[in-house]
Amino acid sequence: MDTIIQTYRLSKKFKNAEVIKSLNFSLKKGEICALIGKNGAGKSTLFKLLAGQVLPTSGEIQLFGKSGKNLDAARKKIGFMIEAPAFFPDFTARQNLEYFQIQRGVINKRRIDEVLEIVGLAKERKKRFKEYSMGMKQRLGIALCLLSSPDCLVLDEPINGLDAEGIMEIRQLLLKLNQEKQITIFISSHILAELALLANRFVFIKNGIIVDDLTKEQLNEKSKKQILMSVDDVAKSSQLLERTYADIQYKVLPNQVIAIQNHVEHAGDINRLFVDHGVLVKEFRIEAHSLEEYFLGAVEERTND
């Protein structure tokens, strides 16, 4: 599989603050990779390093196998949307893209019509930018990214501020670009539930360090259903579980809660086991972790150890 982006021990300091710390990361052709982290985790800084908007303090970036002086040429194969593009409010979509086409030296005259069609703005080409909805503005931003026919898109919060319909439109557009045009996508968003519908890989970043890197299948496995039981005797409950189920996977949580990760299909039997042996079950429920819960739980736990 071809490597689009590769970083080796990449770091970035601003004054005394190290925002990116010795980061090793690779993005393969065809992936939709979600970069997930809280504000200040280093997401936008990593994107700006890849775009050449800021220079690394140390380490190396390779794009399409190119590095050093060849990076600028390689960046032309990537469409970056890191901050909202400065479109002219009184220009139409076509006029705005014509300006950037000249600025960026894109020779193909038909490309503007092609990208407006791809992002669903072909019928809105005469409407002025200031009359656009937020969703239309974001789609025009993606059209600008596509102007130079890139192999990869790097998108920082492309669905920020959109309503539910706008979010769905952007998701469908990005899936179409990935599946039909084979465009690799590296994306960040605060809307983790939406990333779960879009991405096939999830990279969690905290304080400039990658703390987890999961495929969609691995995330589904880690965030699958579990049994939560509030009991009056955690020690006795643990012994009963271990004696009855040799492969039991469970955690003891605060407030005398036991979280059982496997044997969910035996939830009724486990409840009966406790009751039959005199354990008072105060609360019993089955739930699935969301992407948010996985991030706030497992990742936070891991990085605070």
Side-chain angles (χ1 to χ4, degrees):
M1 194 184 286
D2 297 335
T3 301
I4 305 284
I5 295 170
Q6 180 78 60
T7 72
Y8 298 96
R9 301 184 66 82
L10 187 67
S11 73
K12 179 61 184 177
K13 286 184 180 178
F14 293 103
K15 295 184 179 177
N16 295 324
E18 192 172 22
V19 181
I20 299 292
K21 301 171 185 173
S22 194
L23 191 140
N24 295 312
F25 170 78
S26 66
L27 180 71
K28 305 294 185 185
K29 183 176 175 61
E31 289 185 311
I32 302 180
C33 180
L35 185 65
I36 300 167
K38 293 184 176 181
N39 283 338
K43 302 188 301 296
S44 293
T45 301
L46 175 57
F47 284 168
K48 288 176 181 178
L49 285 164
L50 297 175
Q53 294 179 8
V54 296
L55 296 175
T57 303
S58 63
E60 185 184 356
I61 296 171
Q62 286 187 4
L63 304 176
F64 302 94
K66 308 293 185 184
S67 60
K69 294 179 181 178
N70 297 315
L71 269 182
D72 285 342
R75 283 191 177 104
K76 291 179 181 177
K77 297 168 72 176
I78 300 178
F80 292 96
M81 192 166 86
I82 297 171
E83 291 164 344
F87 290 118
F88 297 99
D90 289 315
F91 279 18
T92 64
R94 166 171 281 284
Q95 288 170 329
N96 269 297
L97 292 181
E98 282 174 347
Y99 168 81
F100 285 106
Q101 185 180 41
I102 294 166
Q103 189 188 56
R104 296 180 180 187
V106 177
I107 299 167
N108 183 355
K109 296 291 185 184
R110 291 177 299 176
R111 187 58 183 164
I112 290 175
D113 291 324
E114 290 171 1
V115 297
L116 287 176
E117 188 68 42
I118 289 168
V119 302
L121 290 176
K123 294 178 181 176
E124 309 288 351
R125 69 185 76 195
K126 293 183 179 179
K127 186 179 282 190
R128 290 186 295 177
F129 181 75
K130 66 183 179 183
E131 298 166 349
Y132 273 21
S133 67
M134 180 64 79
M136 291 166 68
K137 288 176 179 177
Q138 292 295 79
R139 280 188 276 152
L140 187 59
I142 293 172
L144 177 57
C145 287
L146 295 171
L147 202 55
S148 58
S149 304
D151 295 315
C152 175
L153 295 178
V154 175
L155 308 172
D156 192 13
E157 301 281 354
I159 56 177
N160 199 21
L162 299 187
D163 59 17
E165 186 179 357
I167 289 171
M168 185 182 69
E169 288 174 356
I170 297 295
R171 185 208 325 142
Q172 290 173 342
L173 170 60
L174 295 178
L175 285 170
K176 181 180 176 182
L177 290 171
N178 178 257
Q179 292 163 7
E180 296 181 12
K181 307 289 185 183
Q182 285 75 54
I183 294 177
T184 305
I185 297 170
F186 191 23
I187 181 172
S188 76
S189 173
H190 283 95
I191 307 173
L192 302 189
E194 187 59 31
L195 291 178
L197 295 173
L198 176 66
N200 50 36
R201 181 180 167 202
F202 303 86
V203 172
F204 296 85
I205 186 170
K206 181 181 180 185
N207 298 331
I209 299 167
I210 290 176
V211 293
D212 220 339
D213 187 343
L214 304 170
T215 64
K216 192 175 187 70
E217 292 74 22
Q218 288 170 329
L219 182 67
N220 287 340
E221 181 65 24
K222 285 177 178 284
S223 61
K224 67 183 181 181
K225 287 181 179 178
Q226 62 176 352
I227 306 168
L228 288 177
M229 305 182 78
S230 174
V231 297
D232 68 337
D233 192 334
V234 167
K236 187 175 182 180
S237 301
S238 301
Q239 289 170 3
L240 286 168
L241 286 172
E242 290 171 12
R243 208 159 55 215
T244 310
Y245 302 99
D247 63 340
I248 195 73
Q249 296 172 15
Y250 71 95
K251 284 183 181 178
V252 176
L253 304 178
N255 302 318
Q256 292 189 293
V257 173
I258 293 180
I260 304 168
Q261 278 86 40
N262 61 349
H263 291 286
V264 177
E265 68 278 12
H266 298 133
D269 295 334
I270 293 171
N271 188 39
R272 197 175 306 112
L273 174 71
F274 285 3
V275 173
D276 288 349
H277 286 82
V279 174
L280 176 62
V281 179
K282 301 173 186 176
E283 188 182 2
F284 173 93
R285 69 182 189 274
I286 298 172
E287 65 175 32
H289 281 304
S290 66
L291 185 55
E292 286 94 339
E293 287 169 327
Y294 179 77
F295 173 57
L296 294 172
V299 173
E300 289 290 309
E301 225 172 72
R302 189 169 311 167
T303 54
N304 287 333
D305 284 345

